[in-house]
Amino acid sequence: MGDDRRVARTLLARHGSTYAEDAGITLADRPGPLYQLLVLTTLLSTRIRAQVAVAAARELFAAGWRTPQAMEASGWQDRVDALGRGHYRRYDERTATMLGTGARLCLDRWHGDLRRMHRETGGEPAALRRRLTEFPGIGPTGADIFLREAQTVWPDVRPYADRRTLAGARRLGLPADPHGLAGLVAAPDFGRLASALVRVALGEESAGEVTRTAAAR
């Protein structure tokens, strides 16, 4: 267990930011940041590199579309252009449409406040996953992305570890179950650990470098 904790601490020290943080989202249990996470989740749900999705989210937010009201009011071509500036080109037109439709659904179903979704489901992960997949472009994998990041501000969802998180854990020789991983870090850090493990699974972070650095400490 001591060695596992050292590996987890090393991983957090090397790459402890969440994808939401990379996209410039100051995540909090408030309508704006939660909607921004939904936008990022939509972008991350396509077959495109995570860094490109993060860059595209930054462009959308820089254009001022940080709320569902603002996103819906934006022009379709303007959304396409913003995605293009983030080099999100292969899926730009379809995603621009989904962002507009998703903003309208967020307003109609949840009055622009995803905390209502959280309350309605009682914070139960399976129920939240079902609600999230109602948004265009967000399937089970996208729902996992949202909950993996949202657990930093929704403690009742924690510990949430999706298949990519667990794949990263296996590559590092760490426990491949959510509660085993949760025992390696302080509760507020688990969301950051989950994101860092995804980076290992995706090859953004080297499992070998992490384990070698941890062993040298």
Side-chain angles (χ1 to χ4, degrees):
M1 180 65 77
D3 289 345
D4 288 349
R5 287 198 177 102
R6 188 158 53 245
V7 170
R9 287 196 301 269
T10 300
L11 180 59
L12 286 176
R14 287 174 61 89
H15 219 320
S17 63
T18 65
Y19 286 101
E21 289 170 334
D22 289 352
I25 302 169
T26 304
L27 200 56
D29 191 22
R30 298 198 308 271
L34 290 171
Y35 173 70
Q36 292 156 33
L37 177 59
L38 185 72
V39 170
L40 176 62
T41 297
T42 304
L43 300 177
L44 285 168
S45 294
T46 58
R47 294 179 180 275
I48 203 160
R49 289 188 301 116
Q51 297 96 323
V52 173
V54 166
R58 282 186 167 274
E59 290 293 340
L60 292 168
F61 301 149
W65 308 325
R66 290 179 169 269
T67 66
Q69 294 89 343
M71 186 68 75
E72 188 190 35
S74 65
W76 178 83
Q77 186 61 54
D78 291 332
R79 294 195 295 272
V80 170
D81 292 344
L83 291 169
R85 291 194 296 274
H87 304 288
Y88 196 97
R89 301 189 189 281
R90 185 176 176 186
Y91 304 98
D92 53 354
E93 295 187 355
R94 181 166 64 93
T95 301
T97 299
M98 291 191 300
L99 289 171
T101 305
R104 173 38 55 189
L105 177 60
C106 185
L107 291 167
D108 288 345
R109 183 73 176 83
W110 307 110
H111 304 282
D113 186 352
L114 294 177
R115 293 177 303 180
R116 291 172 177 261
M117 178 180 69
H118 184 220
R119 288 195 295 269
E120 182 178 292
T121 59
E124 206 282 310
L128 282 165
R129 286 180 93 245
R130 288 193 295 272
R131 296 291 187 275
L132 286 162
T133 57
E134 294 173 4
F135 286 96
I138 297 181
T141 297
D144 283 339
I145 292 169
F146 185 96
L147 293 174
R148 189 180 71 221
E149 299 272 322
Q151 68 183 319
T152 61
V153 294
W154 287 349
D156 50 1
V157 174
R158 204 162 52 220
Y160 196 89
D162 62 342
R163 61 182 181 83
R164 284 181 176 166
T165 298
L166 298 180
R170 283 190 287 270
R171 291 188 66 177
L172 288 169
L174 297 178
D177 72 274
H179 291 283
L181 288 172
L184 304 180
V185 295
D189 289 332
F190 186 76
R192 294 171 55 233
L193 177 64
S195 288
L197 288 169
V198 169
R199 297 178 196 276
V200 173
L202 295 178
E204 296 176 19
E205 175 59 277
S206 167
E209 285 295 323
V210 172
T211 53
R212 282 192 292 272
T213 302
R217 287 191 167 189

